[in-house]
C-alpha cells in the first residue's frame, strides 16, 4: 500500500514537473532574445565590476607607494597620469554601468508588461476554450435534434404514403360501390317497370272479368285469396321449423346438397367492452388459451384474456401503418398474423409480448 501511494505521489510530482517544464518552454520561447541580452548585460556588469575592483586595488596601491615616497618624482608624475587615466576610465565604466542598469530596468519593465499581456492572453484563451466547448456541446445537441427530426420526418412521410395508398384504395372501392349502386338502381328501375306492367295487365284482366261475369270473378278471387293464405301459412310453418343457418363459413348450404347443421340465435350478451379507439375490423380466438385477438381501425392488434369471466388486455401489437382488417393465430398459438390496408402483413410473437408485459 505504501509503495502504491509513493508511486502515485512520484507520478503526480513528475506530471506537475513535466507540465511546468512544458509551460516554461512555451512561455519563454518568445523572450529568448530578451533573456539572452539580459544575461549578457549581467555578465558585462559583473566583468566591469571585477575590473573596477582591480583598478581600485591598483589605485590604492599606487597611492600607498606615492605616500611612502618609494618611487621617484618622475615615476610619481607617470603614476599620477596613469591614475588620472584610470579615474577617467573608472568614470566611463560607472557611466556605462548606469546605462546598463537602466537598460536592465527597462528590459525588466518590458518583461513584466509581456508577462501581464501573456496572462491576459491566457485568461482570454481559457474563456475562448470554454466558449468553444459550450458551442461544441450545443452543436452536438443540435445534431442529435436534427437526426431525431429527420427520423420523425421520415416516419411522417411513410405514414403519409400509407395514407395515400389507403385513400387510393378507398377511392377505388367507392367508385366500385357507386358503380354497383348505379347498376342496382338500374335493375330496380327495370323490376319496377316490369311490376308496373304486370300490375297494369292484372288491372286490365280484372276490369275485363268484372264486366263479363261479376259472380264468377268474385268466386275466383275468393278462391285465389284462400290459396294464397294457405300457401303463406305453410311457408311460415316451414320457416319456423327450418333450423339451418345462413352463415356460409359455418357449413350451411342449400337443401339437398349437404347435411343441415342446427343453430340457435343468442338471446343474452355475456360480455361487452370497447376493444379499440374506432371500428373493430377482425377478431380471432387463440387455439390454445382463452385469448381473443382483435384488430381495429386504430392500426393496433390487441390480445384480451376473458378466461375469468371478465376482459383483461394482455398487450398491444403495433407497427401497422393502416387499419388492421384481419387477424389469425398459428396452430400453436405462439404467433399472430395481421393484415392491414397498407398492403402489408405482419407477424408478432405472443411470447415476446407477454415477456414485455411482465417486464413493463
Amino acid at each position: 500500500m505504501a509503495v502504491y501511494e509513493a508511486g502515485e505521489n512520484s507520478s503526480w510530482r513528475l506530471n506537475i514537473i513535466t507540465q511546468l517544464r512544458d509551460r516554461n518552454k512555451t512561455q519563454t520561447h518568445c523572450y529568448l532574445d530578451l533573456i539572452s541580452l539580459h544575461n549578457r548585460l549581467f555578465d558585462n556588469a559583473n566583468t566591469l565590476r571585477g575590473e573596477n575592483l582591480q583598478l581600485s586595488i591598483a589605485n590604492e596601491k599606487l597611492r600607498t607607494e606615492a605616500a611612502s615616497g618609494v618611487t621617484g618624482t618622475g615615476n610619481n608624475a607617470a603614476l599620477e597620469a596613469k591614475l588620472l587615466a584610470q579615474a577617467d576610465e573608472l568614470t566611463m565604466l560607472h557611466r556605462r554601468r548606469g546605462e546598463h542598469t537602466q537598460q536592465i530596468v527597462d528590459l525588466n519593465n518590458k518583461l513584466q508588461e509581456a508577462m501581464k499581456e501573456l496572462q491576459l492572453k491566457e485568461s482570454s484563451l481559457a474563456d475562448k476554450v470554454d466558449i468553444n466547448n459550450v458551442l461544441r456541446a450545443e452543436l452536438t445537441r443540435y445534431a442529435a435534434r436534427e437526426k431525431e427530426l429527420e427520423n420523425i420526418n421520415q416516419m411522417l412521410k411513410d405514414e403519409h404514403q400509407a395514407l395515400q395508398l389507403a385513400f387510393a384504395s378507398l377511392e377505388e372501392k367507392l367508385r366500385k360501390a357507386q358503380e354497383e349502386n348505379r347498376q342496382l338502381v338500374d335493375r330496380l328501375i327495370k323490376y319496377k317497370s316490369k311490376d308496373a306492367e304486370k300490375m297494369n295487365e292484372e288491372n286490365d284482366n280484372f276490369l275485363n272479368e268484372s264486366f263479363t261475369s261479376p259472380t264468377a270473378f268474385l268466386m275466383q278471387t275468393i278462391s285465389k285469396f284462400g290459396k294464397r293464405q294457405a300457401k303463406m301459412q305453410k311457408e311460415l310453418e316451414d320457416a319456423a321449423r327450418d333450423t339451418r343457418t345462413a352463415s356460409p363459413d359455418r357449413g350451411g348450404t342449400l337443401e339437398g346438397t349437404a347435411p343441415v347443421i342446427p343453430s340457435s340465435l343468442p338471446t343474452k350478451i355475456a360480455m361487452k367492452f370497447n376493444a379499440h379507439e374506432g371500428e373493430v375490423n377482425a377478431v380471432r380466438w387463440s387455439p390454445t388459451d382463452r385469448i381473443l385477438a382483435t384488430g381495429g381501425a386504430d392500426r393496433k392488434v390487441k390480445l384480451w384474456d376473458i378466461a375469468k369471466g371478465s376482459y383483461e388486455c394482455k398487450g398491444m401489437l403495433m407497427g401497422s401503418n393502416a387499419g388492421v382488417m384481419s387477424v389469425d393465430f398459428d396452430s400453436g398459438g405462439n404467433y399472430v398474423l395481421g393484415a392491414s390496408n397498407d398492403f402489408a402483413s405482419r407477424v408478432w410473437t405472443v411470447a415476446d409480448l407477454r415477456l414485455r408485459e411482465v417486464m413493463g
Side-chain angles (χ1 to χ4, degrees), residues 61-73:
K61 185 177 181 180
L62 291 173
R63 285 180 180 178
T64 305
E65 290 178 354
S68 60
V70 175
T71 59
T73 57

Side-chain angles (χ1 to χ4, degrees), residues 194-261:
K194 289 182 180 180
D195 290 340
E197 291 176 358
K198 188 175 181 181
M199 184 65 68
N200 292 330
E201 185 179 357
E202 289 180 356
N203 289 334
D204 293 337
N205 293 331
F206 174 75
L207 291 175
N208 293 329
E209 291 179 358
S210 62
F211 283 113
T212 56
S213 178
T215 305
F217 176 74
L218 181 61
M219 294 298 293
Q220 187 177 2
T221 303
I222 293 172
S223 176
K224 288 181 179 180
F225 180 75
K227 290 181 180 179
R228 287 182 181 178
Q229 188 175 7
K231 185 178 180 181
M232 187 179 296
Q233 184 68 27
K234 184 177 180 182
E235 289 178 356
L236 290 174
E237 291 177 357
D238 293 339
R241 289 193 300 270
D242 190 6
T243 58
R244 291 176 298 170
T245 179
S247 177
D249 59 350
R250 295 187 180 275
T253 58
L254 294 176
E255 186 177 358
T257 59
V260 177
I261 300 174

Side-chain angles (χ1 to χ4, degrees), residues 57 91 97 122 125 142-143 145 148 151 176 178 191 205 207 281 293-294 298 304 313 349 358 360:
I57 294 171
T91 304
R97 179 183 178 185
E122 285 182 351
L125 179 62
Y142 287 148
R145 179 62 178 171
E148 182 180 357
N151 294 330
K176 291 182 180 179
Q178 289 177 350
Y191 288 148
N205 293 331
L207 291 175
N281 299 328
T294 61
D298 56 355
W304 303 88
C313 183
T349 304
V358 172

Side-chain angles (χ1 to χ4, degrees), residues 137-357:
E138 290 181 356
L139 182 62
T140 304
R141 185 169 66 254
Y142 287 148
R145 179 62 178 171
E146 181 183 4
K147 188 175 181 180
E148 182 180 357
L149 291 175
E150 287 178 355
N151 294 330
I152 294 173
N153 188 18
Q154 185 63 34
M155 183 179 67
L156 292 175
K157 285 182 180 179
D158 295 338
E159 290 183 357
H160 179 67
Q161 185 177 4
L163 290 175
Q164 284 183 341
L165 294 174
F167 177 75
S169 177
L170 292 174
E171 192 174 12
E172 182 66 20
K173 288 182 180 179
L174 177 62
R175 189 186 62 78
K176 291 182 180 179
Q178 289 177 350
E179 182 67 23
E180 291 178 358
N181 188 19
R182 187 183 61 78
Q183 293 177 1
L184 291 175
V185 169
D186 293 338
R187 291 174 62 187
L188 180 62
I189 292 173
K190 290 180 181 179
Y191 288 148
K192 289 291 184 183
S193 62
K194 289 182 180 180
D195 290 340
E197 291 176 358
K198 188 175 181 181
M199 184 65 68
N200 292 330
E201 185 179 357
E202 289 180 356
N203 289 334
D204 293 337
N205 293 331
F206 174 75
L207 291 175
N208 293 329
E209 291 179 358
S210 62
F211 283 113
T212 56
S213 178
T215 305
F217 176 74
L218 181 61
M219 294 298 293
Q220 187 177 2
T221 303
I222 293 172
S223 176
K224 288 181 179 180
F225 180 75
K227 290 181 180 179
R228 287 182 181 178
Q229 188 175 7
K231 185 178 180 181
M232 187 179 296
Q233 184 68 27
K234 184 177 180 182
E235 289 178 356
L236 290 174
E237 291 177 357
D238 293 339
R241 289 193 300 270
D242 190 6
T243 58
R244 291 176 298 170
T245 179
S247 177
D249 59 350
R250 295 187 180 275
T253 58
L254 294 176
E255 186 177 358
T257 59
V260 177
I261 300 174
S263 63
S264 60
L265 296 176
T267 59
K268 184 179 179 182
I269 298 175
M271 188 182 302
K272 179 181 178 182
F273 58 92
N274 295 326
H276 294 271
E277 299 175 358
E279 298 178 356
V280 180
N281 299 328
V283 294
R284 183 67 64 181
W285 284 105
S286 173
T288 57
D289 300 328
R290 298 292 291 176
I291 300 296
L292 179 66
T294 61
D298 56 355
R299 303 179 297 174
K300 298 176 182 177
V301 176
K302 296 184 179 181
L303 299 182
W304 303 88
D305 186 5
I306 59 172
K308 301 178 181 178
S310 62
Y311 63 92
E312 180 183 0
C313 183
K314 303 300 290 183
M316 288 186 293
L317 307 174
M318 296 181 291
S320 177
N321 294 324
V324 180
M325 304 303 296
S326 177
V327 294
D328 198 0
F329 286 91
D330 67 330
S331 60
N334 297 321
Y335 297 94
V336 178
L337 173 66
S340 59
N341 277 333
D342 59 349
F343 306 101
S345 298
R346 295 173 176 84
V347 178
W348 293 276
T349 304
V350 178
D352 294 341
L353 175 66
R354 291 177 178 175
L355 180 60
R356 286 200 300 270
E357 179 190 3

